[in-house]
Every structure is written in C-alpha cells, then in structure tokens.
Amino acid sequence: MTFRGPGQPSWDQVPDPEIQHSTDAIVRVDAVTICGTDLHILKGDVPEVIPGRVLGHEAVGTVTEVGAGVRSRKVGDRVLISCISACGTCRFCKEGRYGQCMGGGGWILGHLIDGTQAESVRVPFADMSTHPIPDGITDEQMLMLADILPTSHEVGVLNGRVRPGDVVVTIGAGPIGLAAIMTARLYSPGHIVVVDLVDSRLQAASKFGADSTLNSARDDVRAHIAQLTGNLGADVVMEAVGVPETFELAVDLVRPGGHVANIGVHGAPATLHLERLWTRDLTITTGLVDTSSTPTLIQLIRTGQLDPTPMITHHFDMSEFPSAYDTFARAGETGALKVMVSRTAQQ
C-alpha cells in the first residue's frame, strides 16, 4: 500500500526490498495491520511522508535474508517487527528511549522509509528492531504488540503514572484507547471512564474493562467526572484521539496535581490555557512510543495475563488491502477496531 498524496492510498507493484546495510534484515510479511497514524498520513497530517512511500509500521513475519552484521536473527526466524527501529548505540537508545533514536532509527517504517504493508520489508537494525515470537503465541496476539499495546502502555499509562485506586479517564475508544484500558488495568485503578462519540466503540470499551462510558455527543462529560470525583477531577486523563477539542477536554477533566498523557497524533494546534492552569500543578506529557516495554508485554501475553486478540475484528487477504483500508477508515459504520491483513486471511 503506497501513499500517493493526501486521500490517495494505492495498492501498487513495487520493487522487492534489498539489504542496504549490514544490520538490515528482509522479512516476509505474514500478517500486518493498519494504524490510525496511517489514516493521519493519508489526511496530510504527517508532511514528511513523500508520495510513493510504502505505508505501515506493524507486522509479524519470517526472516528471509540477513545482513552480515546481524547477530541474533537468522533466516527462518518468526519475528515481530517493531514500529520503532533502534540503532542501539546513540544516547537515547542507551537510555531505552528508542523512539528518539539519533542513529537512523525511531519511527521510520512507513514514514521515512518504506513500511510493512507489503509482501516483504527491509527492517533496519534487525537485532534491536525485531522480537522473536515465542512458541504458542499467535500472529494475532503478537501483531498487537507492534504498536498499539506498547504505545498505550508507555505514552498513556506509564507517562500518566496510573496508580492503584486512581480515577482514570480515557478520551477515545479506538484501538489505542482500548489498549490503554487493557494496560491500565495492570495497575489496579479504582475506576476507568471512557469517552467517545460512537456507541459501538463505547460498548467495546466496556468489554475491554471500562467501568463506565460517556458519549460526549449527549452526555455532560465534565459534570459526570465532577460528580464521580467529588468535584476533584480525574487523577489521570489519557487523550487518544488527536484533535484540539479532546486535548482541551482532557486538561479540563484532570484534578490539581494530576496527569494528562497525550497519546493522540495531532494535525492541528490545540490551545493550552495557561491563564487557568498555571496554579494547578498539572503534569502534561507527550511522547512517541519507545517500545522498551515490548518484552514485558510479550511475557504478559505468554503467561495469559493479556490477550489482545479481541481487538482484531476483521480479516483480509493482501489482495484486499484497499477494502481493509476502507473498512478501517469507516470504523464508526463498520465496527472495525483493528483489521488484520495476511497472506491467507481467516474466514
């Protein structure tokens, strides 16, 4: 799937990827998904993406070729391709902040280099940027660890410092918001509230562990949170939409001394009302996922403490990629959460 310009995805014939650096691997893509960030790219919100770029940054697959410098991966290995590539040697990589890699990594797949929505992909820094898939873990389970689970866990839950007993509000019940519910549950919050405009997504949020849901089209969200918290405000608010209105709502809902964790991808400016906020001791965080928690999340899936497979609502064959995009983009109508595109789609 290639980006031909705003509003123009295209299923194209492109050259096979080749090893360019000794630390590269070529991976045959067995299963891949579409991210909300891909939709932002198609809206023109990510101007660094040039026409002709192969989209995608989430996949599982099989290694078919490795460069001479690859040490821990070999042909035939079944691997998760992380959405973040890491050189492993720069200052930020040494701190585990792979999303800020200065050595040629970070978020590059489907962004600055060709991505995973193809039959095969070149993966830079293969030793650092892929994870072996343990026996017994399915492609469906592992695919959700490429992006949405570590993103929600790190940029939402960890940045928001969710603690036992907290009142946590998640704005947005798309895949990232649902993953934020799942991973917040690991820290025993007292009450999770989810806010969205689409009833089907709010129903999904309840299934994924939300204690209560609010439809902001008809519910007075601010009044509900005030009533729930005795006019204090939520301890943590996670913004998982990426529009000015939801960011400003997040700031309005948090208590003094609380945390606002912005996860959403923003394509337009949002107003920060410092004239009202400067006395409230708020912590507001932004971030790109580092994927440093991916090994932990793999272990939680392996031991049965997390199961993200219900997130996948639709399966497609690779030849049906345009239909997969259409289904995912019209999630409010189709009920899509995550779509899985594979070499042999499940029926």
Side-chain angles (χ1 to χ4, degrees), residues 105-118:
W107 173 38
I108 55 175
L109 289 170
H111 179 209
L112 305 180
I113 68 171
D114 286 339
T116 58
Q117 291 174 8

Side-chain angles (χ1 to χ4, degrees), residues 198-232:
V198 180
D199 285 334
S200 62
R201 292 205 160 189
L202 292 173
Q203 291 167 7
S206 295
K207 294 177 181 177
F208 277 85
D211 297 295
S212 58
T213 61
L214 298 171
N215 186 314
S216 53
R218 59 175 181 266
D219 296 323
D220 187 335
V221 175
R222 291 171 176 82
H224 276 78
I225 299 304
Q227 182 178 21
L228 177 66
T229 62
N231 290 316
L232 184 65

Side-chain angles (χ1 to χ4, degrees), residues 30-34 60 138-141 143-144 311-318 320-321 324 338-346:
D30 296 327
V32 62
T33 188
I34 302 169
V60 294
T138 66
D139 286 351
E140 289 89 342
Q141 290 175 310
L143 187 56
M144 297 299 99
M311 199 85 71
I312 300 172
T313 54
H314 294 73
H315 291 81
F316 296 89
D317 185 83
M318 279 201 179
E320 302 173 305
F321 232 128
K338 291 291 279 187
V339 302
M340 179 171 168
V341 184
S342 56
R343 290 179 174 272
T344 304
Q346 296 184 14

